[in-house]
Amino acid sequence: LSEDHRKLYEQIKKDYVAAIKGFDEDGNKLEGKAVIQHEVAVRIKLLQILNGFITLTDDFGKKYRVTLPWNAKLDALDIKVKKVLEDPEKNIIIWCRFRWEIETIYKIYKEHSVFLYGGMTDAKREENLVKWKNDPTCRIMIAHPKTARYGFTWLKATETIFFSGTEDYEDFAQCRDRNYRRGQTREVTETRIIAKNTIE
């Protein structure tokens, strides 16, 4: 993280410690479900910063997204992806928790990739799946764990990269199984990208 991002991260980390103890950012004691909801909200903010953006709320309650100009995880991903693409026999699945990540990564590798996340039209979803299956130039699938964890067999891919994930083990296990299933005859490599000195 850059110095400015580190300061923001450290402030939210303090809020997270307070959230675990049942307090909000202003020191007010929370009760019942509010404790869990607040802890989840602050933890998601921490993960967002690590992945290159943060969603904030203005004084009127409207949410807006701030894209951070520097991201070590994207740099690490780029090194890995470029190395894999050197081998024409290898293809990649990149798993992302947040839609913003999927959109950002897709823009970087647009000529080689398709994406899959919730909220897509059926037509666009089918178009992307057909391209992934039939187009040899399409070598990267960028997907959200909850959208693509069931019903897909992607033996075309020999690389799985977890850019970010959910806390749900079932998501993780099912994501792993998309290209590591019966019928896969090639070695599958799995990579997790995390940020040093953070809550990850």
Side-chain angles (χ1 to χ4, degrees), residues 31-83:
E31 301 291 338
K33 288 183 180 179
V35 176
I36 297 170
Q37 291 169 346
H38 182 61
E39 183 273 333
V40 169
V42 178
R43 179 159 33 89
I44 286 174
K45 281 185 181 180
L46 283 169
L47 293 171
Q48 287 176 342
I49 289 174
L50 300 180
N51 297 325
F53 74 104
I54 185 168
T55 302
L56 300 172
T57 305
D58 65 19
D59 294 338
F60 302 99
K62 185 177 179 180
K63 291 187 176 181
Y64 63 99
R65 186 176 68 210
V66 177
T67 300
L68 306 177
W70 177 84
N71 187 316
K73 287 181 74 174
L74 277 176
D75 292 343
L77 176 69
D78 193 50
I79 292 169
K80 176 68 177 176
V81 168
K82 284 178 178 175
K83 185 171 183 180

Side-chain angles (χ1 to χ4, degrees), residues 17-29:
V17 171
I20 291 172
K21 294 178 180 179
F23 294 90
D24 66 15
E25 291 96 335
D26 298 321
N28 301 313
K29 183 69 175 171

Side-chain angles (χ1 to χ4, degrees), residues 68-195:
L68 306 177
W70 177 84
N71 187 316
K73 287 181 74 174
L74 277 176
D75 292 343
L77 176 69
D78 193 50
I79 292 169
K80 176 68 177 176
V81 168
K82 284 178 178 175
K83 185 171 183 180
V84 173
L85 292 181
E86 288 175 0
D87 186 339
E89 298 298 316
K90 291 184 176 180
N91 302 292
I92 310 166
I93 303 171
I94 302 173
W95 296 102
C96 301
R97 175 176 185 164
F98 300 106
R99 177 171 170 171
W100 177 91
E101 298 167 350
I102 294 173
E103 293 172 352
T104 299
I105 293 170
Y106 173 70
K107 287 175 185 175
I108 296 170
Y109 306 109
K110 190 172 183 177
E111 65 178 290
H112 299 295
S113 69
V114 291
F115 57 88
L116 203 61
Y117 57 63
M120 296 173 65
T121 64
D122 290 342
K124 183 62 177 176
R125 177 190 178 101
E126 185 61 26
E127 176 188 333
N128 283 2
L129 289 170
V130 168
K131 183 175 181 180
W132 166 251
K133 182 178 179 181
N134 299 325
D135 186 345
T137 67
C138 182
R139 302 182 56 198
I140 305 170
M141 168 61 78
I142 310 161
H144 189 281
K146 297 218 178 275
T147 303
R149 70 181 192 171
Y150 296 128
F152 298 101
T153 299
W154 291 336
L155 301 185
K156 174 179 179 176
T158 57
E159 300 278 336
T160 295
I161 301 175
F162 289 91
F163 186 79
S164 62
T166 72
E167 287 80 30
D168 187 338
Y169 177 77
E170 183 67 12
D171 287 347
F172 172 67
Q174 290 296 330
C175 288
R176 296 180 82 188
D177 285 347
R178 292 317 92 209
N179 59 334
Y180 195 67
R181 299 174 68 79
R182 185 176 298 170
Q184 178 62 274
T185 59
R186 299 173 295 167
E187 181 179 297
V188 174
T189 301
E190 184 178 303
T191 303
R192 296 175 189 81
I193 300 177
I194 60 174

